[in-house]
Amino acid sequence: MRIKINNLTKKYNRQEVFSDVSWQPEMGKCNLVTGPNGSGKSTLLRLICGLERPTAGTIDLTKDTSELTAAGVKKITGLLTPDLALYRHLTALENLQFFAKLGGYFLTTAELKDKLAEVGLNSSADTPLAAFSTGMKQRLKLAYVILKRPALLLLDEPNTNLDSEGKQVVNKIISEYKAKSIVILATNDQEEVGQYGENILFLDHCNPGYCS
Amino acid sequence: MVKTSFSLITAIRAIVVKDLTDEFRTRHALTAMVLFSLTTLVTVSFTIGIYSLDIMLHSALIWIIIFFSAMSALSRSFTKEEDSGTILALKMSATAEIIYLGKLFFNTLLLIVLIAVVLPLYYIMMNPPPGGNVGLLVLICITASLSLAGATTLLAAIVARAGSKNSLLPVLAFPVLLPILLTAIRSTGFALSGGSGEEIITDFIFLISYLAIVVTVSLLLIPFVLDD
């Protein structure tokens, strides 16, 4: 799996989000996108997973030497963003069962309960999401994201609303997945930048695409 | 190939079952649809129930009630996904075509439930002339509801991306659904007057052809509609 971002520009009508961004996220490292609010961190993640199209530039995604199509990218990508929501009238287990069937991952109920246990929700498997706290919803979103064992893991502000135990779950997921997948994390929290950042892209309206 | 087809059917069925479970627990769409049809039926029944109406007028009334009741519910298929933010998880887990087909089958089921409520109530409240061909009437209703759902599902996806949401659907859908409604009204009139299937075979062919066209066009367009 390889990603190469070449001279990427994104505009909404005439409003430029960022321009001429080039970067190469690497496997085995925690790749981190940072920058102030509105610098385009979330937009970059949406562009990488094919939810949006760039105004200019390209994102080359290759797996086993063959280039991936937009559908192929979605199939192997786990995307966690603050915009993501799951079904509030279904239970935690029903939500995972639904997305497992939809994605064609034939997981048993026991395996799905294991996923819930991984994020510390084993005792809330049969509770509807409507009764979940914001932090519990964030944990379930993490379970949803790792459901497909993604080869590309995109985490946008993953620690939002999580307690210390929840943050440990995020740490565990990042360290487990960066060994076998490409992990890209977007955050503007300087503590997280210091904690996770191994290959950093700094997005700024004044100084776009600065990499360190 | 077999595994791909199996996955496709499993994914479509998962969307239908999820929407049915959600609907069973919230009853938003069903309540809106049934209450709308009931209110309209009661109003029509009090206003013109004492007069003896022409068969074609009965047929037109049935489909007007079904059309407007359906619009209140079918628009929700995509707007509730957009409003609650679940569309993102859906788009990341399935192709646009699978999402469309799942919603199409769920909308068809909703329409069949609506027709199952409206037709008996219409018979009780409006007392149309006896001697109708009930079997043919049911067949027409199922075929027409499939065509209605086929065209409305894509429009519901378009409307969900717009600002005015639900109120826009009847306006957008009317010109697209007019050929289906006119054909359904004519063939329902035949069925109510006790006609046989042979007399309206062309109407059946038209409804099925229209369904094939709208589903094909929808499958081609839905990736662009759901794409940001």
Side-chain angles (χ1 to χ4, degrees):
Chain A
M1 177 84 197
R2 200 176 70 93
I3 304 179
K4 197 162 184 284
I5 296 166
N6 309 303
N7 309 103
L8 204 66
T9 298
K10 180 65 185 175
K11 287 179 188 174
Y12 292 108
N13 297 321
R14 287 181 182 176
Q15 180 72 44
E16 187 174 271
V17 183
F18 51 71
S19 69
D20 206 26
V21 171
S22 297
W23 189 41
Q24 188 160 0
E26 295 164 37
M27 200 183 274
K29 284 184 178 176
C30 182
N31 304 282
L32 195 136
V33 186
T34 189
N37 294 140
S39 56
K41 302 182 292 295
S42 304
T43 305
L44 181 67
L45 296 194
R46 291 174 69 87
L47 286 165
I48 291 172
C49 68
L51 281 171
E52 291 188 34
R53 295 196 184 104
T55 310
T58 54
I59 301 172
D60 302 329
L61 282 125
T62 48
K63 195 180 179 194
D64 305 329
T65 67
S66 56
E67 203 160 315
L68 289 165
T69 59
V73 174
K74 278 184 197 167
K75 216 176 170 70
I76 58 146
T77 306
L79 173 70
L80 175 77
T81 77
D83 300 335
L84 184 81
L86 304 177
Y87 295 95
R88 62 192 308 270
H89 295 291
L90 302 185
T91 66
L93 186 62
E94 284 172 341
N95 263 291
L96 291 193
Q97 279 171 334
F98 167 62
F99 286 109
K101 280 180 189 163
L102 201 57
Y105 328 118
F106 299 99
L107 297 171
T108 62
T109 305
E111 285 170 320
L112 292 171
K113 281 186 175 173
D114 285 345
K115 294 276 178 199
L116 287 173
E118 273 182 54
V119 296
L121 288 176
N122 38 335
S123 57
S124 309
D126 298 318
T127 309
L129 244 65
F132 270 30
S133 70
T134 320
M136 288 166 81
K137 281 179 191 161
Q138 183 72 0
R139 284 177 186 228
L140 185 63
K141 284 199 249 175
L142 283 166
Y144 154 78
V145 165
I146 57 169
L147 194 65
K148 58 170 99 167
R149 295 189 190 96
L152 174 60
L153 185 61
L154 305 175
L155 305 169
D156 189 358
E157 312 277 4
N159 287 319
T160 313
N161 300 313
L162 289 178
D163 54 16
S164 57
E165 197 188 310
K167 285 176 183 171
Q168 279 176 18
V169 171
V170 173
N171 292 346
K172 196 177 157 222
I173 289 171
I174 290 174
S175 47
E176 185 190 328
Y177 274 86
K178 76 178 184 184
K180 56 186 177 186
S181 314
I182 291 182
V183 178
I184 304 177
L185 190 142
T187 182
N188 52 16
D189 184 326
Q190 287 310 304
E191 201 180 308
E192 288 178 8
V193 174
Q195 183 186 354
Y196 299 116
E198 293 172 291
N199 174 23
I200 303 173
L201 170 71
F202 184 76
L203 292 175
D204 193 331
H205 297 298
C206 309
N207 185 17
Y210 171 75
C211 307
S212 65
Chain B
M1 182 68 188
V2 175
K3 198 186 171 198
T4 313
S5 309
F6 180 71
S7 301
L8 186 78
I9 293 164
T10 310
I12 293 168
R13 198 175 58 191
I15 294 177
V16 177
V17 172
K18 184 270 294 173
D19 278 350
L20 282 174
T21 311
D22 195 48
E23 186 53 41
F24 183 73
R25 288 178 189 169
T26 60
R27 294 190 182 90
H28 285 155
L30 262 180
T31 312
M33 233 168 45
V34 172
L35 279 180
F36 192 97
S37 58
L38 205 66
T39 317
T40 320
L41 261 171
V42 170
T43 312
V44 171
S45 153
F46 275 119
T47 320
I48 52 174
I50 49 166
Y51 302 106
S52 171
L53 298 179
D54 182 71
I55 290 268
M56 287 313 278
L57 259 176
H58 276 294
S59 172
L61 270 175
I62 288 172
W63 281 101
I64 288 168
I65 293 166
I66 289 172
F67 172 74
F68 284 106
S69 307
M71 288 304 111
S72 65
L74 298 189
S75 59
R76 285 189 49 80
S77 55
F78 278 97
T79 49
K80 70 176 177 186
E81 303 277 3
E82 285 281 349
D83 292 346
S84 61
T86 48
I87 192 78
L88 179 60
L90 210 52
K91 283 196 288 190
M92 285 304 293
S93 307
T95 61
E97 291 84 355
I98 287 176
I99 299 171
Y100 168 78
L101 288 171
K103 296 289 180 188
L104 168 66
F105 284 113
F106 173 70
N107 282 344
T108 307
L109 285 176
L110 264 186
L111 268 174
I112 289 171
V113 171
L114 172 72
I115 288 165
V117 171
V118 168
L119 274 185
L121 278 176
Y122 191 88
Y123 263 85
I124 293 164
M125 291 171 135
M126 296 298 292
N127 202 19
N133 187 338
V134 180
L136 188 61
L137 187 60
V138 170
L139 202 63
I140 290 161
C141 286
I142 290 171
T143 320
S145 57
L146 261 169
S147 297
L148 278 177
T152 316
T153 306
L154 177 73
L155 294 172
I158 297 170
V159 166
R161 314 303 304 266
S164 49
K165 307 265 171 176
N166 296 1
S167 55
L168 198 61
L169 186 63
V171 182
L172 266 182
F174 188 70
V176 182
L177 300 183
L178 195 61
I180 305 170
L181 284 173
L182 292 178
T183 312
I185 289 168
R186 189 175 52 234
S187 43
T188 303
F190 271 111
L192 285 175
S193 59
S196 68
E198 285 168 20
E199 290 170 85
I200 51 167
I201 192 79
T202 49
D203 286 349
F204 270 115
I205 293 169
F206 173 80
L207 286 173
I208 290 163
S209 310
Y210 202 88
L211 171 69
I213 292 166
V214 290
V215 170
T216 308
V217 171
S218 299
L219 285 172
L220 290 172
L221 293 180
I222 196 76
F224 300 100
V225 175
L226 291 184
D227 213 6
D228 286 319

